[in-house]
Amino acid sequence: MHLSDQEFKLISELMHDKFGINLSEQKRSLVVERLQKVMRSGDFKNFRDYYDYVINEPSGQALSDMVDRISTNYTYFFREKDHFDFLVSTALPQLIARAKSQNRPGLKIWCAGCSSGEEPYTLAIILSEFLGAEISQMDVGILATDISETALQKAKNAIYTDAQLSQVPVSYRQRYFAAVDNNNWTVKPILKKLVLLRRLNLMRPEFPFKGKFDIIFCRNVIIYFDLPTQQGLIERFHRYLQPGGYLFTGHSESIDRSRALYKYIKPAVYQK
Ligand SMILES: C[S@@+](CC[C@H](N)C(=O)[O-])C[C@H]1O[C@@H](n2cnc3c(N)ncnc32)[C@H](O)[C@@H]1O
């Protein structure tokens, strides 16, 4: 189906204004490919018709479905493993010692743009391994948020194939996953209970949290945003981090212009 210049502009502007997602000219064929199915099933004559339907549909479900199709949800367990090594060697010992000294034995992590759950469940494994039996006496939790309902549903189902678990060390697989059948594994309740999944648009000017986080993971998300949108989000994250808290971005993302707010620790790791 043909996507005219005008139609592409309308859809790009909508994705940018509502979700920060920046669809450059190179993404044009991706837009056609990802929206084709819904266009056919909904019997729309052209992209303009579909666009009009999306912006006028009162529940917001059609808009939610559109971003779901357009956003890239690619992720895997132990992605950019450096970060998990850094957590174990440096960030967790520091933050937990500090929490204990302040008499608030807890640790709050926000995984922003968590996709289908591989990242927050990796964090839950790391926390469980690091804290051992102590975890039950501490107030630890991972809030995992995303805009995509499909991705969040996968995270809630928490069933992954053998291939999806290929990066998970065998000992962790035995401890934290249970076989469903020959090819599928489910995340055990001891991990699941550490992860709270919620739908949240990172474009909100304010986030609905009372407390602050010790760690924010927002990896491979801002890469889809333009510079001012990235900048605004990195600044907003700062308000929701404890002093001394850490921000992790994807290794191909940099936050140069916000360096005044954060101390650069190592590639893709910053400290408030
Ligand atoms: C490529 S995935 C990254 C997943 C994981 N953080 C990782 O590094 O593997 C990007 C995620 O960002 C989400 N996303 C994009 N725009 C968003 C927005 N405005 N608010 C919340 N999530 C968004 C997408 O739905 C997608 O699941």
Side-chain angles (χ1 to χ4, degrees):
M1 199 172 287
H2 177 70
L3 174 67
S4 72
D5 289 351
Q6 172 66 8
E7 289 166 335
F8 180 58
K9 188 162 173 277
L10 288 172
I11 292 173
S12 315
E13 282 173 359
L14 184 63
M15 288 297 106
H16 180 264
D17 295 349
K18 300 281 186 194
F19 308 108
I21 296 173
N22 191 23
L23 294 169
S24 60
E25 188 56 39
Q26 293 96 293
K27 297 280 168 67
R28 211 183 162 113
S29 53
L30 176 141
V31 170
V32 176
E33 186 192 313
R34 296 205 178 156
L35 296 182
Q36 227 154 25
K37 208 162 132 204
V38 61
M39 297 269 301
R40 290 214 185 90
S41 63
D43 243 354
F44 298 103
K45 280 200 306 292
N46 49 43
F47 282 95
R48 177 65 205 232
D49 253 20
Y50 171 55
Y51 170 86
D52 286 341
Y53 162 72
V54 168
I55 58 166
N56 291 310
E57 192 273 322
S59 75
Q61 191 54 47
L63 181 64
S64 163
D65 179 66
M66 189 190 228
V67 67
D68 219 331
R69 287 168 195 278
I70 284 181
S71 68
T72 297
N73 303 120
Y74 179 68
T75 185
Y76 52 92
F77 285 96
F78 287 90
R79 182 177 195 179
E80 301 182 20
K81 187 174 167 294
D82 264 18
H83 280 159
F84 302 107
D85 295 341
F86 177 80
L87 279 180
V88 173
S89 69
T90 312
L92 291 179
Q94 211 178 71
L95 294 171
I96 286 170
R98 199 187 56 174
K100 282 181 179 165
S101 75
Q102 294 173 345
N103 248 346
R104 57 162 193 107
L107 191 85
K108 296 289 171 200
I109 302 182
W110 178 15
C111 182
C114 65
S115 192
S116 39
E118 289 86 333
E119 183 171 66
Y121 291 131
T122 302
L123 285 165
I125 293 175
I126 295 294
L127 275 182
S128 303
E129 287 292 305
F130 186 83
L131 292 168
E134 227 186 338
I135 201 161
S136 57
Q137 288 124 50
M138 295 182 68
D139 181 19
V140 295
I142 299 161
L143 172 69
T145 64
D146 203 281
I147 194 69
S148 162
E149 275 168 13
T150 312
L152 287 169
Q153 196 49 55
K154 284 189 191 151
K156 277 185 191 144
N157 290 346
I159 292 178
Y160 301 97
T161 62
D162 247 359
Q164 286 170 316
L165 291 195
S166 64
Q167 308 289 321
V168 179
V170 176
S171 61
Y172 293 170
R173 186 189 286 217
Q174 282 161 355
R175 217 166 306 158
Y176 298 109
F177 296 84
V180 177
D181 54 36
N182 277 344
N183 188 42
N184 293 290
W185 299 77
T186 180
V187 174
K188 284 190 184 168
I190 42 163
L191 281 196
K192 270 190 168 176
K193 71 177 189 206
L194 295 175
V195 177
L196 182 68
L197 293 155
R198 286 283 180 272
R199 183 162 188 266
L200 180 93
N201 187 351
L202 291 171
M203 287 307 100
R204 284 176 70 137
E206 300 283 337
F207 298 121
F209 312 133
K210 282 192 225 91
K212 293 189 174 178
F213 296 93
D214 299 286
I215 294 172
I216 298 178
F217 259 61
C218 185
R219 308 188 309 162
N220 308 298
V221 177
I222 65 169
I223 196 167
Y224 301 104
F225 301 165
D226 65 17
L227 212 57
T229 309
Q230 294 187 0
Q231 180 81 7
L233 181 58
I234 298 296
E235 284 172 14
R236 260 171 296 143
F237 281 153
H238 193 261
R239 285 190 244 146
Y240 295 87
L241 257 185
Q242 295 278 4
Y246 287 94
L247 171 68
F248 294 79
T249 66
H251 281 84
S252 53
E253 298 160 328
S254 82
I255 62 164
D256 279 356
R257 295 204 293 155
S258 306
R259 284 231 177 131
L261 293 176
Y262 298 89
K263 187 169 148 206
Y264 169 85
I265 304 295
K266 64 202 292 283
V269 182
Y270 303 87
Q271 190 172 28
K272 173 164 170 177

